[in-house]
Each structure stands twice: as C-alpha cells, then as structure tokens.
Amino acid sequence: MSIKNVRLEVMQFLEKRVDSFVDQYLIPVEEIWQPSDFLPNSESDNFLEEVKELREISKDLPYDFWVAMVGDMITEEALPTYENWLMEVEGVDNLERNSWAKWVRQWTGEENRHGDLLNKYIYLSGRVNMREVEMTSQHLINDGFDIGTGRDPYKNFVYTSFQELATYVSHNRVSQLAKGYGDKKLAKMCKMIAGDEMRHHHAYSHFVSEIFKVDPSEMMLAFEYMMKAKIVMPAHFLRESGQQIGSAFEQFSDSAQRIGVYTANDYVDIMQKLVEKWEIDKIVGLTPEAEKARDYLMKLPARMAKVSERIKIPAESHIFKWVEPARL
C-alpha cells in the first residue's frame, strides 16, 4: 500500500472519533466568548466614554509592542488561507462534509474571533494606520502561504501542533506586557485568545499522539521532516503596501524578539515540549529509518539552542507603514 493510501486509511480510522475531539476541544458558539464581550458597547450611552478611556490607556504602549500586536492581528486575519489549506489535507472531505471537514470549519469559527477582536481594539485605539494594516491583511490572503506540508495530514498536524503553541506564547506575552503597561482590558483580551490557542494545541498534538499509536514510523519521519524543514510562521509572506512578498516578515519578527513576544528560544522550547509530549524516546516498533529520525529529533533541541544563542537582533526598530511613531 502506498504512503498516501496509508495516510488516508489512518485518517479514516481516526475520523470515527473526530466528533468526540470536537466535544473535547472546541466550545459551542452559544457558550464561547465573543469579541463584543471585551470591547466598548456600541449600544451603550457610555460608548464614547469607554472608547476615550481605551484610547488614553493605549497611549502608554511602546512602538515594538504595537508592531507585534498588529502583526499578530494580521496573522489571525489571514484565516481564509489556513482553512483552505486544511480543507485540502488528505482525509478531509468538505464535499461530503465528513467529520474532519466539520473539525476544520468549527476550528476556523473559533479562530476567526481572534482577528476580529484585535482588529476592533486596534481600530478604536487610534494609534495605527488602519488602511495600511488592511492592505497588508488583504495582501497576505491574496499571497497565501506554503508551510511545506503539502496535503500530508501527518506533516500538517505536526505544523499545527507547533504553530498553535507558538501563537499561545505570542498572545500570552502580549497579554503580560499589556498588563505591565496598565492596559488590563487588552491584557484580558489577549489572555482569552491565548487560552483558545493552547486548547487548539492540545487538540492537534492529541491527533499526532493517536497517529503514533497506529503508524509510528511514518509519523516519526513526518516529525523529522518538519523539524528539518523548520516551521515557518503563517505570516511568512507578510508585506506592506507596494512591497514584495515576504519583505516585512523579518522586521516584524525582529520587533517581536526585541520586546520578548516570540523569540528563537521560544522556538527551541516548543520543539522540546513536542518531543516530550509525544514521548519520542518511548515510541516502539520503529523501522531503522525511523530510529535514525528519532535519534535526530532527540538531539535537535540542544543543537538548535546553541544556534539561537548566536542570533543577533537589530537594536533599532524598523518603521512600518502600519505604525507611525507620530501617532504614539
């Protein structure tokens, strides 16, 4: 049987349990928080006063903080790209509306609230050039992305396990920084988003754990492949208006590292967490090739940690069209 057919067979085997995964890891629409729960109430007579308070508090947030938060928001707003990608994964059948397609749609529905909440907060703050931000969001959706997984569900689940934990780290750090600058409401917003990301991380990493039980060697090789290829961020094609694809991503990453929102050390830490979560050292029944992959994966975090120590971040902030210093 071909590797593709084995993947499909495993996905069909796991599909019988997807409804239970939905119940375990996703929250019904009527019960989960919505963006309006945390924003000034536009129906209230106090709306303008609430907006004024939000704008006053946001004045104390520094430049790199705004860049990091805008980049996070744009990343969340490119959700149509991510849903389209996942709908093409082997075993996901949107035409027949199978259980995996149901998972993707409902996961998308939860994720969609994140960009909506951050966009409204940033718009009301008055600190950001929203037209430039909106053009960047549209460019990112237009340009799409290529995360190096193809239609392979094993590789895609490694990617989403990693990326959901990375977005948890990023939003949680923004929450901590906002609290430190006195913006408790923004801190709560980002904390709620981070909580969703962690819950989604647990789901996708659970899928990988289940695959390790039935197809350990191929799952190990897929994990190795993704770690060798390196996990690219969803917004790696990020650009501002008038620029080339991907031209703004490095500068955005520098801002995030400079302020401690997401760093090279976090990348290594997430890698180590996945090795431990999936108990890579305890997987049995591996082929010789998969055993070599396991050895590589066990040693990789320590090797990457040494590399991360040599990374130097520019001291000066790149000036983005999104965030003009005169507005801050």
Side-chain angles (χ1 to χ4, degrees):
M1 187 180 294
S2 69
I3 290 176
K4 178 180 177 181
N5 287 338
V6 171
R7 299 281 205 271
L8 181 58
E9 188 176 274
V10 170
M11 286 291 281
Q12 289 170 342
F13 170 72
L14 290 178
E15 185 188 347
K16 300 169 186 175
R17 298 174 53 196
V18 172
D19 285 344
S20 70
F21 295 150
V22 168
D23 292 341
Q24 183 176 356
Y25 293 112
L26 300 179
I27 300 173
V29 174
E30 289 76 12
E31 297 176 21
I32 201 168
W33 63 265
Q34 297 296 334
S36 58
D37 295 337
F38 303 102
L39 294 162
N41 182 1
S42 61
E43 295 180 289
S44 169
D45 292 338
N46 296 324
F47 175 66
L48 294 178
E49 286 76 8
E50 291 177 22
V51 171
K52 184 177 180 181
E53 179 187 12
L54 182 154
R55 291 166 71 94
E56 282 298 316
I57 294 173
S58 70
K59 287 180 179 178
D60 294 330
L61 303 174
Y63 187 83
D64 278 333
F65 179 94
W66 282 108
V67 171
M69 190 165 67
V70 168
D72 281 352
M73 183 269 285
I74 292 168
T75 301
E76 297 284 358
E77 290 205 318
L79 200 61
T81 300
Y82 317 147
E83 181 181 23
N84 288 342
W85 186 280
L86 287 172
M87 282 297 185
E88 292 297 317
V89 169
E90 200 69 49
V92 179
D93 190 342
N94 196 33
L95 181 63
E96 296 296 327
R97 297 178 72 84
N98 73 351
S99 293
W100 280 116
K102 174 184 176 182
W103 168 271
V104 173
R105 290 194 303 271
Q106 294 196 24
W107 168 82
T108 300
E110 288 199 359
E111 288 281 339
N112 186 66
R113 294 149 42 259
H114 301 167
D116 191 16
L117 175 57
L118 293 175
N119 184 301
K120 287 186 172 75
Y121 173 89
I122 290 171
Y123 172 77
L124 292 173
S125 76
R127 308 297 169 200
V128 169
N129 185 327
M130 286 304 298
R131 194 170 199 280
E132 287 292 342
V133 170
E134 289 157 358
M135 284 191 285
T136 295
S137 292
Q138 187 171 353
H139 273 308
L140 190 55
I141 295 171
N142 290 353
D143 297 335
F145 73 162
D146 182 358
I147 55 177
T149 61
R151 300 183 65 195
D152 186 337
Y154 295 12
K155 293 173 184 175
N156 271 281
F157 289 160
V158 170
Y159 180 86
T160 46
S161 297
F162 191 106
Q163 187 54 40
E164 293 284 9
L165 191 50
T167 49
Y168 161 78
V169 170
S170 183
H171 288 299
N172 193 53
R173 293 267 176 75
V174 170
S175 173
Q176 292 169 352
L177 289 167
K179 185 176 181 180
Y181 290 119
D183 196 333
K184 295 180 181 179
K185 291 182 179 179
L186 176 59
K188 187 172 183 180
M189 294 178 202
C190 294
K191 192 76 172 178
M192 298 301 292
I193 293 173
D196 283 355
E197 304 290 9
M198 178 59 82
R199 181 161 41 81
H200 297 162
H201 158 70
H202 286 314
Y204 285 111
S205 59
H206 186 175
F207 301 163
V208 173
S209 294
E210 292 301 313
I211 295 171
F212 264 122
K213 293 176 184 177
V214 295
D215 195 8
S217 292
E218 285 300 319
M219 188 64 249
M220 189 72 72
L221 291 171
F223 187 18
E224 178 199 34
Y225 177 92
M226 291 306 297
M227 292 301 97
K228 282 186 173 180
K230 296 187 174 60
I231 300 293
V232 296
M233 298 299 108
H236 65 288
F237 284 169
L238 195 70
R239 59 166 156 156
E240 295 183 275
S241 62
Q243 295 183 347
Q244 297 298 311
I245 292 177
S247 56
F249 182 72
E250 186 174 346
Q251 289 90 350
F252 160 62
S253 297
D254 288 343
S255 287
Q257 290 220 69
R258 209 163 23 241
I259 202 170
V261 165
Y262 185 76
T263 69
N265 289 334
D266 292 318
Y267 185 100
V268 175
D269 185 54
I270 291 170
M271 192 187 308
Q272 181 64 45
K273 280 183 166 62
L274 292 179
V275 167
E276 294 171 0
K277 189 179 189 74
W278 293 327
E279 298 184 315
I280 297 303
D281 60 326
K282 297 177 183 177
I283 303 293
V284 298
L286 297 175
T287 63
E289 186 182 10
E291 284 285 5
K292 290 181 181 178
R294 186 226 300 271
D295 291 341
Y296 172 83
L297 290 164
M298 293 298 296
K299 297 173 183 175
L300 186 58
R303 288 172 50 196
M304 290 296 292
K306 292 179 180 178
V307 173
S308 69
E309 291 173 0
R310 298 196 293 269
I311 296 175
K312 296 187 182 298
I313 306 302
E316 295 296 320
S317 300
H318 171 78
I319 302 303
F320 286 84
K321 294 179 182 180
W322 317 327
V323 188
E324 299 166 1
R327 288 174 176 259
L328 302 182

